């Protein structure tokens, strides 16, 4: 029988189609469950990076599930007492094992790829930029799933017991998820659920080959040992050596040359860097100009009217003539009205921004202009803070948070005198961002 | 007593007890580590433990529900519905009693109450599976349900989802009414099915 024939036979014997469809359906259910009306809020994004991050975080459970299914299939020969029968066939035993493990691994990988395609397909109508090195994220996740399948196949073959598959799944979950939750230093060596690449980010170039070699060498090592036992120990030893070297390098390389004290930034962030191409502004052709980041270009048509409306309000007090989406903490040019990031505003399988999310974003955007926090406000809100906050909110047409009478009166006076209002607002924004308390007290008593 | 010991040994009860102790110890460590992690809000960080450990406990209950040769067991004079019901109830009680020890502090917020409910519910599904599926495949429904619900359940659980997302609901009485009802219903159905039908008869298997 040809390899093709053997492969087709094993595909049928392992229930390959069923396994692939079941895993794909599981992934689709998880995806659907995160959308309204099944969830309290839609966490859906419009970018490939966020979609892949969703797939990666699902892998924390799907990886152990893949290992469980692989272990179940690998234990089949023992369960059905076929060992003696198959041992009498002409083919070498490793070929038979490879056919079985290969078929179930291919089925599981196919199922995982289908569910990944379903999730990424959800952002496709609004994708304007695929993100930097998205292929590397996908490759590392696929290798992680392959490793889970290899571990499952090895355990199913070696360890007898009808509850070995689910027990392996739970043990793998504990070994992968708990370190991730605890932010252990070595969590990036966990093959699933470890790639936290969000909007506007990409994997660091130096990490990709090391991570791929680490997971790939583990797949080879476990595969060779599981299939060939002691015969191919040199190959297994070489793969183990590569894995150890890569693991050591991954503990050091991502942290070299990074700012910030260890322990401040989550370990997962050590593999990630900003993607400069993702934040290139994409602007409207007509004035007043509204710009969004390239990854959110699909929202420009929906965001522009809202931003222009706000620009009109803000423009009464500040010399701004254009609006631009900026990352948190980034200060724009003097003539720019900053727009807060547009992440998480997508609609699955539809283009444009989610209307509810857009409305919420609009409120947050104006509030972010006037919101401030100073150490003096930690346990209590001083009267000057309440007054200036309410005044600024009322001037921008927002609802006053504290309903402070002095703030309302001050806002009314300033609205009657546009020149005074412009001077007050300019001073307020400078003082609130630098926590200049004497100046803020002066503004409250204006 | 000798009959009970033989029954327990045939059902791998000693091995399951040892494994249960391991699950309790690992669960207690995980619960403590997650609760004290600065990344999470104290004991609200324990859902992975009350789902994972309860699932493991239910699988250990399942391990004792059928011996190596279920057809032979069914021919024994003592394998009556009452005997099976007693076995099921004792196994679930033991698993619940042991596993709550892992999450005793602050029992309401993903603590002992949620652990007891989840263990009982998962064990109920395991008991029903043991009565309807061959022993070698009986783990699949409870394992599949546990994993899918753990990821798919809305967080925080929204109104109307508690009846199916019960493993992920906290133990606070105001939130967990439908969750407790669902879990107990699963347990009752499981015990009744297992007591009446017993493990599915299959040829002796090599495990």
């Amino acid at each position: 029988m040809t390899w093709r024939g053997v492969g087709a036979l094993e595909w049928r014997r392992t229930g390959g189609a069923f396994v692939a469809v079941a895993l794909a359906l599981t992934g689709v259910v998880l995806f659907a469950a995160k959308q309204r009306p099944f969830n309290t809020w839609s966490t859906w994004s419009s970018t490939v990076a966020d979609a892949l991050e969703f797939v990666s975080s699902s892998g924390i459970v799907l990886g152990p599930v893949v290992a469980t299914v692989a272990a179940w299939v690998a234990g089949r020969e023992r369960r059905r007492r076929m060992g003696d029968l198959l041992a009498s066939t002409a083919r070498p035993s490793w070929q038979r094992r490879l056919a079985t493990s290969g078929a179930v691994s291919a089925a599981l990988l196919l199922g995982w790829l289908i569910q990944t395609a379903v999730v990424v397909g959800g952002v496709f109508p609004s994708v304007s930029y695929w993100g930097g090195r998205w292929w590397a994220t996908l490759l590392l996740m696929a290798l992680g799933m392959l490793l889970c399948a290899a571990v499952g196949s090895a355990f199913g073959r070696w360890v007898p017991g009808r509850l070995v598959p689910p027990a392996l799944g739970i043990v793998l979950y504990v070994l992968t998820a708990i370190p991730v939750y605890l932010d252990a230093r070595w969590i990036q060596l966990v093959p699933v659920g470890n790639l936290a690449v969000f909007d506007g980010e990409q994997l660091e170039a130096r990490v990709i080959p090391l991570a791929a070699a680490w997971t790939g060498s583990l797949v080879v090592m476990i595969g060779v040992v599981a299939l060939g036992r002691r015969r191919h120990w040199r190959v297994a030893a070489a793969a183990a050596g590569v894995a150890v070297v890569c693991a050591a390098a991954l503990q050091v390389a991502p942290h070299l040359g990074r700012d910030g004290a260890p322990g401040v930034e989550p370990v997962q962030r050590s593999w990630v860097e900003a993607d400069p191409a993702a934040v290139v502004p994409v602007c409207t052709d007509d004035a007043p100009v509204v710009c969004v980041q390239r990854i959110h270009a699909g929202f420009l048509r929906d965001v522009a009217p809202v931003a222009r409306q706000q620009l009109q309000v803000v423009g009464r007090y500040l010399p701004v003539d254009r609006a631009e989406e900026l990352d948190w903490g980034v200060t724009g040019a003097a003539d720019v009205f900053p727009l807060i990031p547009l992440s998480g505003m997508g609609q699955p399988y539809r283009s444009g921004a989610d209307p509810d999310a857009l409305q919420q974003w609009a409120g947050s955007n104006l509030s972010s202009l006037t919101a401030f926090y100073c150490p003096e406000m930690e346990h209590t809100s001083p009267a000057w803070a309440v007054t200036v906050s309410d005044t600024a909110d009322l001037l921008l047409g927002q609802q006053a948070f504290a309903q402070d009478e002095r703030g309302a009166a001050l806002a009314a006076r300033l609205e009657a005198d546009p020149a005074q209002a412009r001077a007050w607002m300019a001073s307020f924004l400078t003082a609130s961002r630098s926590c200049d308390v004497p100046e803020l007290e002066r503004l409250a008593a204006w | 007593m000798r009959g009970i010991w033989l029954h327990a040994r045939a059902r791998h009860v000693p091995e399951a007890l040892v494994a249960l102790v391991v699950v309790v110890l690992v669960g207690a460590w995980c619960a403590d580590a997650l609760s004290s992690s600065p990344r999470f809000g104290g004991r609200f960080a324990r859902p992975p433990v009350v789902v994972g450990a309860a699932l493991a406990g239910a699988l250990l209950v399942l391990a004792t529900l059928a011996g190596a040769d279920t057809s032979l067991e069914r021919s024994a004079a003592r394998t009556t519905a009452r005997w099976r019901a007693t076995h099921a109830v004792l196994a679930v009680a033991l698993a619940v009693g042991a596993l709550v020890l892992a999450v005793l502090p602050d029992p309401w917020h993903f603590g002992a109450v949620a652990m007891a409910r989840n263990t009982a519910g998962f064990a109920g599904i395991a008991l029903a599976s043991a009565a309807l599926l061959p022993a070698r495949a009986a783990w699949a429904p409870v394992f599949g349900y546990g994993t899918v619900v753990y990821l798919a359940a809305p967080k925080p659980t929204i109104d109307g989802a508690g009846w199916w997302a019960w493993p992920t609901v906290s133990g606070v009485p105001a939130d967990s009414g439908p969750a407790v009802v669902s879990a107990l219903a699963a347990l009752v159905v499981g015990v009744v099915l297992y007591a009446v039908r017993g493990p599915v008869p299959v040829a002796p298997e090599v495990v």
Side-chain angles (χ1 to χ4, degrees):
Chain A
M1 191 180 273
T2 62
W3 269 107
R4 195 174 168 185
V6 171
L9 183 66
E10 283 295 341
W11 177 269
R12 282 199 301 277
R13 284 180 63 209
T14 55
F18 174 77
V19 166
V21 170
L23 189 64
L25 275 179
T26 304
V28 172
V29 166
L30 300 183
F31 166 62
K34 294 297 171 195
Q35 312 302 325
R36 283 176 299 207
F38 304 111
N39 213 330
T40 40
W41 73 93
S42 171
T43 54
W44 195 234
S45 175
S46 61
T47 63
V48 174
D50 263 6
L52 289 179
E53 200 283 329
F54 178 85
V55 175
S56 172
S57 54
S58 303
I60 225 163
V61 170
L62 285 186
V65 168
V66 162
T68 301
V69 175
W72 163 254
V73 173
R76 181 190 58 197
E77 288 178 15
R78 191 187 311 109
R79 279 198 306 277
R80 303 227 172 130
R81 297 175 153 187
M82 296 191 302
D84 291 340
L85 176 69
L86 293 170
S88 66
T89 55
R91 252 176 221 284
S93 61
W94 70 267
Q95 285 188 11
R96 197 182 68 246
R97 292 179 192 138
L98 179 62
T100 308
S101 298
V104 72
S105 298
L108 289 165
L109 201 58
L110 178 67
W112 179 81
L113 281 172
I114 292 172
Q115 69 101 24
T116 302
V118 168
V119 176
V120 175
V123 297
F124 196 72
S126 53
V127 162
S128 48
Y129 167 63
W130 274 69
R133 304 186 190 122
W134 61 269
W135 53 268
T137 311
L138 190 65
L139 172 73
L140 292 184
M141 287 194 296
L143 279 173
M145 285 297 152
L146 207 55
L147 178 58
C148 288
V151 169
S153 292
F155 266 82
R157 194 176 306 286
W158 290 334
V159 187
R162 62 186 171 216
L163 291 181
V164 164
L168 173 68
I170 292 175
V171 169
L172 267 187
Y173 172 74
V174 172
L175 290 178
T176 55
I178 300 298
V180 169
Y181 296 152
L182 296 180
D183 199 33
R185 168 77 186 229
W186 50 275
I187 58 169
Q188 292 306 91
L189 301 181
V190 169
V192 289
N194 61 339
L195 301 176
V197 185
F198 293 97
D199 269 9
E201 298 174 337
Q202 61 185 352
L203 281 174
E204 276 201 28
R206 61 184 165 182
V207 161
I208 295 166
L210 286 173
W214 155 249
T215 316
S217 56
L218 284 183
V219 171
V220 171
M221 185 187 77
I222 293 171
V224 166
V225 173
L227 298 176
R229 296 284 172 115
R230 297 188 192 92
R231 281 185 205 162
H232 303 88
W233 66 270
R234 285 189 187 84
V235 179
V242 172
V244 169
V245 170
C246 291
L250 282 170
Q251 287 295 293
V252 179
H255 302 280
L256 292 176
R258 291 185 80 89
D259 296 331
V264 174
E265 191 183 51
V267 176
Q268 283 185 314
R269 310 296 299 155
S270 64
W271 280 27
V272 173
E273 64 181 7
D275 176 10
V279 294
V280 170
V282 175
C283 304
T284 53
D285 296 327
D286 49 340
V289 174
V290 177
C291 299
V292 297
Q293 293 176 352
R294 187 178 174 193
I295 40 172
H296 300 136
F299 297 153
L300 185 57
R301 202 178 52 187
D302 298 322
V303 167
V306 180
R308 282 173 177 159
Q309 206 177 9
Q310 296 192 344
L311 197 56
Q312 205 175 8
V313 174
V314 175
R316 288 206 295 262
Y317 309 106
L318 297 172
V320 291
D321 58 7
R322 58 187 269 136
E324 194 173 320
E325 182 190 2
L326 297 172
D327 284 334
W328 294 110
V330 175
T331 308
D335 61 341
V336 168
F337 167 48
L339 305 178
I340 60 173
L342 292 158
S343 304
M345 286 178 44
Q347 311 176 87
Y349 295 104
R350 277 186 288 171
S351 60
D354 178 80
D356 293 340
L358 185 64
Q359 197 178 6
Q360 204 173 0
W361 173 87
S364 305
N365 192 50
L366 268 188
S367 302
S368 72
L369 193 67
T370 55
F372 70 101
Y373 175 78
C374 297
E376 289 79 4
M377 297 156 67
E378 187 170 350
H379 299 298
T380 179
S381 292
W384 51 266
V386 173
T387 302
V388 293
S389 288
D390 274 15
T391 305
D393 284 340
L394 289 168
L395 285 177
L396 295 179
Q398 297 280 90
Q399 198 173 7
F401 178 72
Q403 305 284 336
D404 179 53
E405 285 180 15
R406 289 177 61 197
L410 179 55
R413 266 191 291 131
L414 290 171
E415 273 176 350
D417 185 347
Q420 287 276 312
R422 276 195 292 275
W424 188 93
M425 186 62 89
S427 301
F428 165 73
L429 288 179
T430 310
S432 62
R433 282 168 190 168
S434 60
C435 273
D436 184 348
V437 174
E439 177 66 3
L440 289 169
E441 285 174 332
R442 188 182 73 81
L443 291 170
W446 187 281
Chain B
M1 283 304 287
R2 184 169 169 73
I4 294 173
W5 167 244
L6 287 174
H7 173 81
R9 206 174 60 176
R11 299 297 186 90
H12 313 293
V13 171
E15 294 94 325
L17 285 175
V18 172
L20 185 61
V21 172
V22 173
V23 170
V24 171
L25 292 175
V26 173
W29 179 83
C30 290
D32 184 54
L34 288 171
S35 300
S36 51
S37 168
R39 294 182 75 190
F40 301 108
R43 286 168 185 153
F44 287 95
R46 296 184 293 183
V49 179
V50 296
V51 176
L55 192 54
L59 290 171
L60 291 174
V61 170
L62 180 63
T64 69
L65 296 181
D69 188 343
T70 44
S71 298
L72 182 66
E73 278 184 13
R74 292 177 80 85
S75 68
R78 281 191 182 174
T79 313
T80 61
R82 194 177 300 168
W83 185 264
R84 285 193 293 260
T86 307
H87 176 110
V89 170
L90 281 179
V92 175
L94 192 62
V96 169
L99 285 169
V100 295
L101 298 176
V103 282
L104 268 184
D106 192 1
W108 301 108
H109 295 112
F110 298 105
V113 175
M115 179 69 91
R117 179 200 63 212
N118 288 357
T119 309
F122 283 143
I125 299 174
L127 285 161
S129 305
L132 299 172
L133 295 171
R136 61 177 176 268
W139 57 270
V142 64
F143 184 81
Y145 187 77
T147 42
V148 171
V149 166
Y150 176 61
L151 265 188
K155 297 175 186 68
T157 314
I158 55 176
D159 290 342
W163 67 270
W164 65 269
W166 49 266
T168 61
V169 178
S170 86
V172 178
D175 302 335
S176 59
V180 171
V181 171
S182 293
L184 285 181
L187 179 63
V188 171
V189 169
V191 169
V192 170
L193 268 176
Y194 180 73
V196 173
R197 292 174 62 99
V200 172
V202 289
E205 59 178 304
V206 180
V207 289

